Amino acid sequence: MRELILGIESSCDETAACILEDGEKILSNVVATQIDTHASFGGVMPEIASRLHVNNILPVLKECFFKAGIEPSELSAVAATTKPGLIGALHVGALAGKTIAEYLDIPFISCHHLAGHIYASEFASKFQFPLLAIIVSGGNSELVYMEDHLKFKLIGETLDDAIGEGLDKIARELGLPYPGGVQIDRLTKDQDITPIRLPKVRTNGYNLSYSGLKSHTIRLIRESKSKGELDENKIKQFAFSIEKAFVDQLLDKAFKAATDLDVNQIVLGGGVSANSYLRKEIIRRNNNRFTVTIPPLWCTTDNAAMIAKLGHHLYQKKCFSSLDCKIEASSSLESFSIKD
Ligand code: KG4
């Protein structure tokens, strides 16, 4: 009998559902994004996000079943993001998932959002352990070592801002719309821009730090503005300089970790993994040393296919959750690891 997993994601500003067959074949993948609404506020407004999830969840689920051409009764299990994320937003998707699982008397699988971002790369290539996962999003910048499926060891993380958060804040200072990381990429992609020199940040171990670079660049932008020099070329130059400084720091640490830990594969995940400079630079620097796996572009920002993929692995290991499992705004990835 075929395995059909319904994945549900609602941790931030996307309401999404996906039906995945036998862990490989996507029968349908629906995403309702709220970006346009939040853009007018310059960032995600949690209360508005929750309300929009409530409006969107049923239409998204209906469309998901319709496009997949299956009946709910054919499902094997429901996997939903239960942590970490905006608490009200998480509750909407998780409650919908629990309700479907309870009604159909099938397993409910609680999913960790960041584990989902890692598993997005499995739509590009199978995992070869041990691997190093680089998770870069609006809320997280983490280096994670995995010796096997569903075993996560945090080896480095940002000590302050996440990389996407930093890019978004600088983009706002440059007068670019939300989400700024996307706009910075659009402005700088395939262009020959000479970056300005930014200080090199030192952190211990494999940790990262973006807030000092961000504040320094914001100061430079304000100076440039006050002198009336912030024209289109200068905006592009600031955008590329900070994108390069952020990505270079990340890749310096990531390749050092990958070499020290002697991994077979490096896997990218999270919204910022859509960034063109990062995608190009990781391949250039790698120079065929490790297998580098980059998620398909459609699977970089929040979606439910990555949750269904993670759900598939948990289903195979019979890692089911009770219907009263906790919904958590913050939760470490390590604590989500399965036990032997
Ligand atoms: O993973 P994600 O969709 O949401 C979470 O934070 O969980 O990531 C959103 C972040 C935002 O900061 C956005 O600016 C950034 O990813 N982002 C990008 C690109 N696409 C999305 N940053 C740089 N280049 C991109 N192409």
Side-chain angles (χ1 to χ4, degrees):
M1 211 171 72
R2 63 183 177 159
E3 175 202 290
L4 289 172
I5 307 279
L6 168 66
I8 301 177
E9 157 65 35
S10 70
S11 65
C12 189
D13 57 349
E14 266 89 27
T15 320
C18 167
I19 293 172
L20 187 68
E21 182 181 323
D22 296 330
E24 299 278 347
K25 190 172 170 195
I26 295 174
L27 300 187
S28 62
N29 186 29
V30 181
V31 182
T33 182
Q34 310 173 0
I35 281 183
D36 288 348
T37 307
H38 297 293
S40 55
F41 299 98
V44 178
M45 303 301 283
E47 176 60 26
I48 293 174
S50 308
R51 290 173 191 210
L52 290 175
H53 284 304
V54 171
N55 292 347
N56 292 341
I57 189 75
L58 290 179
V60 163
L61 283 167
K62 266 191 189 160
E63 189 181 337
C64 186
F65 281 107
F66 178 75
K67 284 192 168 154
I70 71 149
E71 292 298 322
S73 57
E74 294 177 72
L75 288 178
S76 312
V78 184
T81 306
T82 56
K83 57 194 161 190
L86 302 174
I87 195 75
L90 282 167
H91 268 287
V92 178
L95 183 61
K98 288 177 177 183
T99 307
I100 296 169
E102 166 80 344
Y103 183 75
L104 297 171
D105 196 19
I106 55 175
F108 175 73
I109 301 170
S110 156
C111 288
H112 193 288
H113 182 70
L114 297 184
H117 274 310
I118 295 176
Y119 275 89
S121 266
E122 255 215 332
F123 286 107
S125 159
K126 284 250 172 277
F127 286 173
Q128 299 160 29
F129 299 101
L131 65 76
L132 177 77
I134 306 175
I135 311 172
V136 277
S137 70
N140 298 274
S141 304
E142 295 189 357
L143 298 181
V144 176
Y145 177 79
M146 290 177 70
E147 60 172 37
D148 204 345
H149 276 300
L150 305 169
K151 295 199 170 172
F152 310 97
K153 189 167 188 300
L154 180 71
I155 58 159
E157 64 185 327
T158 180
L159 301 172
D160 37 63
D161 289 359
I163 188 165
E165 180 188 2
L167 288 175
D168 291 346
K169 285 182 179 159
I170 285 172
R172 188 160 26 165
E173 200 64 33
L174 290 171
L176 303 172
Y178 176 84
V182 182
Q183 304 301 328
I184 284 181
D185 192 0
R186 275 197 197 134
L187 275 186
T188 58
K189 192 178 171 187
D190 298 328
Q191 303 228 13
D192 189 13
I193 302 168
T194 308
I196 52 169
R197 274 175 75 88
L198 291 174
K200 212 149 172 92
V201 175
R202 286 188 215 292
T203 50
N204 61 331
Y206 306 121
N207 287 327
L208 306 157
S209 171
Y210 292 118
S211 110
L213 266 173
K214 177 199 69 186
S215 305
H216 179 76
T217 310
I218 287 180
R219 251 196 323 273
L220 295 180
I221 295 171
R222 289 185 181 162
E223 268 170 34
S224 178
K225 254 186 221 166
S226 67
K227 289 185 197 152
E229 291 172 359
L230 195 64
D231 59 10
E232 205 179 311
N233 282 337
K234 200 81 191 145
I235 289 176
K236 273 191 191 173
Q237 192 185 33
F238 275 123
F240 180 61
S241 307
I242 198 67
E243 179 179 55
K244 177 170 163 39
F246 278 16
V247 168
D248 286 352
Q249 186 194 136
L250 176 74
L251 293 182
D252 286 349
K253 294 284 179 163
F255 277 106
K256 171 143 186 26
T259 307
D260 292 352
L261 300 168
D262 198 19
V263 299
N264 286 318
Q265 188 179 22
I266 301 178
V267 161
L268 257 189
V272 181
S273 68
N275 182 261
S276 312
Y277 176 73
L278 170 58
R279 291 167 86 90
K280 232 175 121 178
E281 187 64 8
I282 194 170
I283 301 292
R284 190 191 68 76
R285 284 192 188 209
N286 183 50
N287 199 13
N288 294 323
R289 278 182 294 159
F290 307 98
T291 301
V292 170
T293 302
I294 300 176
L297 265 182
W298 63 263
C299 210
T300 52
T301 43
D302 290 352
N303 66 86
M306 66 186 198
I307 301 303
K309 185 69 133 176
L310 171 63
H312 157 73
H313 285 282
L314 290 161
Y315 183 77
Q316 292 290 310
K317 298 222 179 297
K318 297 200 168 25
C319 294
F320 305 146
S321 308
S322 72
L323 292 179
D324 60 3
C325 71
K326 262 189 163 171
I327 312 300
E328 294 168 272
S330 62
S331 164
S332 78
L333 185 51
E334 274 188 357
S335 67
F336 190 67
S337 297
I338 57 164
K339 313 271 177 298
D340 284 320

